[in-house]
Amino acid sequence: MVRMRFPKRYLIVLLTFICTNVCYIERVGFSIAYTVAADAIGVNQANKGMILSMFYYGYILSQIPGGWAAQRIGGRRVLLLSFMLWSMICGLIPLDPNRVTILVLSRLFVGVAQGFIFPAIHTVLAQWVPPQERSRSVSLTTSGMYLGAACGMLFFPSLVKHTGPQSVFFVEAVLGVAWSVIWLKFSSDPPRADLPKVSMPKVASRDMIKAQAGGVVAPRTVKIPWRRIIFSLPVWAIVVNNFTFHYALYVLMNWLPTYFELGLKLSLQDMGSSKMLPYFNMFIFSNIGGVIADHLITRRILSVTKTRKLLNTIGFIVSAFALMVLPLFSTPSGTVMCSAISLGFLALGRAGFAVNHMDVAPKFAGIVMGVSNTAGTLAGIVGVGLTGNILEVAKASNKDLTDSETWKTVFFVPAYLCIFSSVIFLIFSTGEKIFE
C-alpha cells in the first residue's frame, strides 16, 4: 500500500461519504425533475406518488441480498457493481411522464441497484473502522445522504428551469460513473495489519469490552445466524426505528416540494438557498451526534447502551414535536425552520439506532443492516404512496390542498411514529455484542 499521511481507513470513510452523497443527489434529483415534468402534463397526485414510490419497491428487494452479497464477495465489489448499474440506467432512460412503463421499470431497477449500497457500506466500515471510531465514522458516511439532498435541492431546480428535466439524469449518471472510477482506483480490502482491533482507551464498561473484540467482519464461510437475527428484540428495536426514520425522511423528501408549491404557493426556484436548509441541517446534526456519542463512550461518561438510547430518544422526540408544529406555520420561513429541526434531530438520532447495527453484530453488520434497511425501504413504499392517497382523498372530499390544515395528517403520522419508536428503542435496545 502506498504510504499516506493519514490511515487508509480515513480514505475509505471519505469515499463512502461521497458515495451516499451521490446516491441522494440522484434520489432528490429525480423527485424534482419528475415533479416538474409530471405537473406540466397534469399527472394527478396518486399517480405521482406511485412513480415516486417505485424506487422503493426495487430498493426493498435487494436489501437482504445486498447484505448477503457483501458478506460473500466483499462490500467493495458490491458497491462498484451497484453504482455502475444505476448510473447506466440514469444515463440511458428518457424522462417522459407519458411513458409510464419505462419510468416504472427504470425506477424499479435503480432501486434494486441502490439497495445493495448501504449493506455493502456497513460491511466495508465494519472491516476498516475500530470500535471507538464507529459512531463518527458511520455518522459522517450517512451524513453524505443529507448533504447530497441539500445539494440537489439547491442546484437542480435551476438546472431544470434552464435546461429541462432530462439534464438531471445526465448529471446523475456522470457523478455515478466518476465515483465508480475513484472507488476502483483507491479502495481496497484491509490488510491484516489494518483490521479494526484498536484497543479502547481505558474503557471498562462491559458492553464496550465486548465490542472491542468484534470489529472484524465474519469470514465468508461462517454460517449466518438468520434465525437469531430475525427473532432478536434488540434487532427489532433497530428495525422499528429505521422504519420510522425513513418514513419521515422519504415523506418530507418527496412531498415537501409539493407542499411548498400547493400549501405555501411558492416554487422551489423562488426559495433560493433556504430550500436546502433541512438537509444541510441533517448533515450537521448527524456529525454532531457521532462526535457526541464517541465522546460519551470513550470518556466513560456513559456506556454504549445508554449513549445509544439517549441520543436516539432526544432525536426522535424533538423531531416528533417539530413535525406536529410544522402545519401550523403558514409562512415559508416557519415551514423551513420546522422541517430543518425535525430532520436535523432525526439525523442526530442516527447516532443511536443506525450505529447500533455494528454494536450488536459487528461480524454481521451488513446482514443486520440489510434486514433493518428492508424495513426502512418499506417505509418509503408505504409513506410516499400513502401520502399521495391521503391528498387525493382530501381532494375528493372537497378539501383545499392549498390549505395547510389539509396537510396535518401527512405530518402527524410520522410524528406519532417517532414517539412510538423512541419508546421501543428505550425498552429493547442494547449496546452489547449479541452475535458472535
Side-chain angles (χ1 to χ4, degrees), residues 358-418:
M358 298 171 70
D359 297 326
V360 301
K363 293 183 179 180
F364 303 101
I367 299 295
V368 177
M369 181 60 184
V371 173
S372 169
N373 229 27
T374 298
T377 309
L378 181 63
I381 297 172
V382 173
V384 176
L386 177 62
T387 299
N389 286 304
I390 288 173
L391 295 175
E392 280 300 308
V393 169
K395 185 177 180 180
S397 302
N398 297 319
K399 292 184 179 180
D400 187 2
L401 295 187
T402 63
D403 184 359
S404 60
E405 285 290 315
T406 306
W407 289 75
K408 273 190 174 180
T409 304
V410 171
F411 300 116
F412 273 48
V413 171
Y416 291 140
L417 284 173
C418 282

Side-chain angles (χ1 to χ4, degrees), residues 14 40 43 79 89 111 169 216 237 252 291 303 389 409:
L14 177 61
V43 177
L79 276 177
I89 294 173
F169 276 24
V216 184
L252 290 176
V291 171
S303 67
N389 286 304
T409 304

Side-chain angles (χ1 to χ4, degrees), residues 225-237 239 371 428 434-435:
W226 289 108
R227 182 179 178 84
R228 291 182 57 211
I229 289 173
I230 296 299
F231 289 98
S232 168
L233 287 178
V235 169
W236 274 101
V239 167
V371 173
F428 295 113
I434 58 178
F435 296 106

Side-chain angles (χ1 to χ4, degrees), residues 32-46:
I32 292 171
Y34 173 73
T35 297
V36 171
D39 288 346
I41 64 170
V43 177
N44 65 39
Q45 303 302 322

Side-chain angles (χ1 to χ4, degrees), residues 197-424:
K197 295 180 180 179
V198 182
S199 61
M200 304 294 293
K202 301 180 180 178
V203 177
S205 63
R206 181 167 56 119
D207 45 5
M208 285 310 299
I209 292 173
K210 288 186 176 183
Q212 189 176 355
V216 184
V217 173
R220 295 169 189 172
T221 56
V222 170
K223 184 178 180 180
I224 300 168
W226 289 108
R227 182 179 178 84
R228 291 182 57 211
I229 289 173
I230 296 299
F231 289 98
S232 168
L233 287 178
V235 169
W236 274 101
I238 298 172
V239 167
V240 169
N241 280 265
N242 203 334
F243 178 92
T244 295
F245 174 88
H246 285 96
Y247 187 103
L249 175 62
Y250 290 151
V251 166
L252 290 176
M253 179 182 295
N254 286 280
W255 288 103
L256 206 55
T258 303
Y259 179 69
F260 282 133
E261 296 189 4
L262 293 180
L264 301 179
K265 302 179 181 63
L266 186 69
S267 69
L268 291 178
Q269 289 89 343
D270 296 331
M271 292 181 63
S273 60
S274 64
K275 58 181 172 284
M276 67 175 283
L277 182 60
Y279 304 108
F280 187 72
N281 218 35
M282 293 189 82
F283 169 71
I284 297 297
F285 273 68
S286 177
N287 286 291
I288 289 174
V291 171
I292 291 174
D294 281 345
H295 177 77
L296 292 175
I297 293 168
T298 57
R299 297 288 181 177
R300 301 174 57 188
I301 299 172
L302 291 175
S303 67
V304 177
T305 299
K306 291 180 179 178
T307 298
R308 303 292 181 233
K309 290 184 177 184
L310 174 66
L311 291 171
N312 198 84
T313 302
I314 292 174
F316 276 61
I317 294 298
V318 174
S319 178
F321 282 108
L323 285 168
M324 291 179 180
V325 172
L326 191 151
L328 301 180
F329 287 89
S330 58
T331 62
S333 59
T335 303
V336 169
M337 179 186 69
C338 286
S339 58
I341 291 172
S342 176
L343 291 177
F345 275 88
L346 269 180
L348 181 78
R350 286 189 69 91
F353 80 91
V355 189
N356 205 213
H357 301 88
M358 298 171 70
D359 297 326
V360 301
K363 293 183 179 180
F364 303 101
I367 299 295
V368 177
M369 181 60 184
V371 173
S372 169
N373 229 27
T374 298
T377 309
L378 181 63
I381 297 172
V382 173
V384 176
L386 177 62
T387 299
N389 286 304
I390 288 173
L391 295 175
E392 280 300 308
V393 169
K395 185 177 180 180
S397 302
N398 297 319
K399 292 184 179 180
D400 187 2
L401 295 187
T402 63
D403 184 359
S404 60
E405 285 290 315
T406 306
W407 289 75
K408 273 190 174 180
T409 304
V410 171
F411 300 116
F412 273 48
V413 171
Y416 291 140
L417 284 173
C418 282
I419 296 172
F420 171 76
S421 298
S422 65
V423 173
I424 294 296

Side-chain angles (χ1 to χ4, degrees), residues 58-192:
Y59 198 65
I60 199 171
L61 293 175
S62 53
Q63 291 298 309
I64 294 177
W68 177 87
Q71 192 80 31
R72 295 300 179 186
I73 68 174
R76 182 173 62 88
R77 296 180 182 87
V78 170
L79 276 177
L80 179 63
L81 293 173
S82 63
F83 243 79
M84 290 300 298
L85 176 59
W86 74 254
S87 299
M88 287 191 299
I89 294 173
C90 285
L92 297 174
I93 298 299
L95 178 54
D96 183 355
N98 289 312
R99 303 173 74 173
V100 176
T101 302
I102 291 179
L103 273 181
V104 166
L105 291 176
S106 65
R107 293 312 293 167
L108 189 70
F109 283 117
V110 169
V112 169
Q114 290 200 19
F116 284 85
I117 289 174
F118 283 92
I121 284 176
H122 273 67
T123 300
V124 170
L125 294 181
Q127 288 178 319
W128 278 98
V129 179
Q132 75 271 22
E133 296 177 5
R134 281 178 187 161
S135 297
R136 58 184 180 270
S137 296
V138 173
S139 295
L140 177 62
T141 294
T142 55
S143 72
M145 301 186 299
Y146 321 131
L147 187 61
C151 291
M153 290 292 287
L154 180 63
F155 295 113
F156 281 143
S158 296
L159 182 66
V160 170
K161 182 179 180 179
H162 292 101
T163 61
Q166 187 66 48
S167 60
V168 172
F169 276 24
F170 175 76
V171 171
E172 292 169 352
V174 169
L175 290 174
V177 171
W179 184 88
S180 300
V181 172
I182 294 171
W183 181 253
L184 181 63
K185 180 176 178 59
F186 292 105
S187 69
S188 66
D189 293 324
R192 295 189 62 86

Side-chain angles (χ1 to χ4, degrees), residues 36-55:
V36 171
D39 288 346
I41 64 170
V43 177
N44 65 39
Q45 303 302 322
N47 286 337
K48 283 169 62 178
M50 183 269 292
I51 294 296
L52 290 171
S53 64
M54 195 54 58
F55 170 92

